[in-house]
Amino acid sequence: MDVNQVLEGTLSPDASTRQNAEHQLSQAAELDFSTYLTTLAQELANDQALPHIRTAAGIVLKNAFSAREYARLREAQDKWIRRVDPQVKKSVKDLALKTLASKDARAGQSAAQFIASIAAIEIPRNEWSELMTVLVANVGEGADHLKQASLATLGFICETEDTELRDSLSQHSNAILTAVVQGARKEEANMDVRNAAIIALGDSLEFVRTNFDNEGERNYIMQVICEATQSGDSRIEAGSYGCLNRIMGLYYDKMRFYMEKALFGLTVMGMKSEEEDVAKLAIEFWCTVCEEEIAIEDDNHIARSEGSSEMRPLFNFSRVAAREVVPVILQLLTQQDEDAGDEDYNISRAAYQCLQLYAQSVGSDLIQIVLGFVEQNLRHADWHYRDAAVSAFGAIMEGPEEKTLDPIIKQALPVLIGMMDDSVVQVKDSAAYALGRICENVSDSIDPQVHLPPLIAALFAGLSSNPKMAGSCCWALMNLADRFAGEPGCQQNPLSAHFQDSVTHLLGVTESAEADNQLRMAAYEVLNAFVTNAANDSLHIVAELSDVVLQRLENTIPMQHQIVSVEDRITLEEIQTSLTSVLLAIIQRLEGEIRPQADRIMHVLLQILNSVGPKSSVPDTVFAAVGALSNALEEDFVKYMEAFVHFLYNALGNQDEPGLCAMAIGLVSDITRSLGEKSQPYCDSFMNYLLSNLRSTSLSNQFKPAILQCFGDIAQAIGPHFETYLSVVVQVLQQAATVTINADGAYDMLEYIISLREGIMDAWGGIILALKQSKPQLLTTYVESIFKLLNTVAQDQNRSEALLRSSMGVIGDLADTFPRGEYSDYFRSDWTTQLIKDTRSNREFQFRTLETARWAREQVRRQTATVSGAQMS
């Protein structure tokens, strides 16, 4: 293998050349991994090689020990541990460290990334003990390019998400800090080195808690960072404010002294910087302050409600600084970029985000400061100030007390609605967004008789007038529909008088030749919201709408043959997804009244499934609509099963598209619940696919709870016929019940175990209901393991309401299944009584959870009373 030629090929713009080069590298790695690594490391360290070849060698080396998926990452790292000789490891690492000294900066950066990938393997294993010493020495004594590359290496190591490496880095905090602080000092003349040090310092802050606890060390670190904010180099200044943001998030409790002495003034000065990156990060500092103080207040509120006296310190930095900081933020709102795209994050958008957070942190105290700015600029000749005034008003709609905002909003609404006719589209867009914020957070201030007619009219006019404001208008209309829906199933609501006109307008917008696809999709979302929130007196309009939506869906079928580009396909799929989503909302709102349209609905949905290509997002929404239709038709849905079921089987077996597979699993639950025993002919195939998915290594663990729940739904649907699958399903449930978490387990693992137990308990609930009437004897073998799981739930305080509700159902159903007291010892146990009591007494739980617990208690009382009566007689 000509390594230069192959590495050149990995950078080729030609896909086939690139793939061929990657294939050759894979073959070389498989043939002799040690030689492969040595060859690449030699090329990386070769000062005579072309710069892009050296960079490519470093990237390939780094990629050999990197992967996004955890399992593949561990597999790649294991190759270094088990397949590479210690002498080869030393040689490769030495070559990489040597490359840090190269005058070729790109090679040094590439080596830094590779070193970080090896450090992630060896540092947690207490290997490569000399690495930190070498890097510190490089920063202290090396040439500028060596300092910079070594600091970059420390930064790459510290920005890791690898849990084991993160846990190990705190042991090296002294070495890390020595290097990065030395490089970040004002005495460092080379600004590139200083910038690299500031970046590495920001990445390392999480691992230096011990050093930050030491006042002397903390003072020095803060001094170095504060001095760096005044460096005159915008990169270093922005990085320094980034460091201050992280420090405020990590060490808020130690910031009082520094806020009083330096940070307040520095950050206000930073917000006024002419350099956008510096100003944005200085603004974000106050975002972090507000976020921390909001979180602290929430934590302290929870602690007080639980009777705890342990409170987090709250210094009210945002409240104390409001009169100086907020006026600066308000002025920064006027620095809009009229050419900015929706995703662009500029100074005015950073200021808006900060003002929102400030309102949530400070509350009503902020109102007068902001209102002064609003009143002064609402009629300003310069549209930038009008826009800032409207935006500022919308930003404070969450945080202050509603009763304080109410009279202000009532007075402002006519003005805001009038500004929907402003001559500048940016102002109109901000007015629509501010109205959306009012609808979302303080809708009680909107009088349905006085404000709703002009508000709806203005938003629909805005929706039609300019695509730039369509998103804000649609969002405001959706909030409005949600807030004025009334009680579920109500005869009439405030939307009723406007429902027909709204539907007509939305249908017109979506058909307009001037509308782009983004506007169509947004308008269909609004239509979806109006249908979902329709009162009973508008259902005839919803029923009529189904004809229009179905006609439009039917019209998309021949469009499949007109596709000539990827863009055409995307556009068509977006239209089909939007229309199917509206159809889904119609089915869910009409419920059984959709029956006259069922044949037509299934016909068009089957046509869509037949025509879409692989990896399409449309089937997800189609499956959701099919599920809603099966719920509406119940047993009558069986007439469509023969035509539909093979699409469902294909999706269940499609592990390459996890999202579609997950939808299919949920749809099996919907269909079996709807069909009851009529689903039995399809259950062999359902069970085979579900068990296959359960064993799959391609699908994540997150699929397992839904599959287990699906077993319960199938059991409940087919009753005693579930005996065929009982032994294999029980084995799966018992095995799943053994999964536990370590004391230091991650939060996502904890969530997974709770949801897994929910799935297990739902499965047992369905199985017990399936067998209790005709074949209760089949359950006797498993009662002990069921109570073992219930005991685990009782002893573990990490449990959800859904898990406790399912547990109550299982306890009650078991007691009802064996009424003669065969298992009374379990029902008499203290932990069973306590589990029921804990559930019944939790007033935050839903009514149905409390009712299930009450029913379980009654069943247990009957159980124990029966036994006591038998003993007395």
Side-chain angles (χ1 to χ4, degrees), residues 609-645:
L609 290 174
N610 261 318
S611 59
V612 294
K615 307 291 184 184
S616 169
S617 60
V618 180
D620 290 32
T621 316
V622 171
F623 276 22
V626 170
L629 189 62
S630 73
N631 291 336
L633 301 182
E634 297 180 329
E635 289 186 354
D636 290 343
F637 185 79
V638 73
K639 64 188 283 192
Y640 307 114
M641 282 299 289
E642 286 303 318
F644 172 71
V645 77

Side-chain angles (χ1 to χ4, degrees), residues 720-785:
H721 301 292
F722 193 76
E723 181 182 356
T724 307
Y725 317 113
L726 184 61
S727 60
V728 66
V729 169
V730 166
Q731 187 178 354
V732 167
L733 297 179
Q734 290 175 336
Q735 184 177 353
T738 63
V739 178
T740 55
I741 190 169
N742 298 328
D744 58 346
Y747 180 73
D748 56 351
M749 185 62 181
L750 178 63
E751 277 195 323
Y752 165 66
I753 287 177
I754 292 171
S755 64
L756 186 67
R757 288 175 182 168
E758 288 173 11
I760 300 168
M761 208 65 78
D762 285 339
W764 277 123
I767 291 168
I768 295 166
L769 286 172
L771 302 176
K772 65 186 285 188
Q773 295 299 331
S774 57
K775 297 185 177 180
Q777 70 280 3
L778 294 176
L779 294 168
T780 56
T781 313
Y782 311 118
V783 170
E784 184 179 350
S785 64

Side-chain angles (χ1 to χ4, degrees), residues 59 64-65 67 70 158 271 290 460 604 637 650 654 672 675 757:
I59 292 170
F65 304 106
Y70 180 80
C158 290
M271 288 194 291
C290 293
F460 275 121
V604 72
F637 185 79
N650 289 340
N654 189 352
T672 51
L675 296 185
R757 288 175 182 168

Side-chain angles (χ1 to χ4, degrees), residues 22-23 42 72-73 112-113 155 158 176 178 197 280 316 324 334 382 417 488 539 599 626 638 781 795:
E22 290 166 357
H23 179 66
Q42 288 170 343
R72 291 182 181 176
L73 175 64
Q113 290 179 306
C158 290
I176 294 169
T178 300
K280 284 193 296 190
N316 286 309
E324 284 73 28
T334 66
D382 186 338
I417 292 170
L539 290 186
D599 286 355
V626 170
V638 73
T781 313
Q795 303 306 321

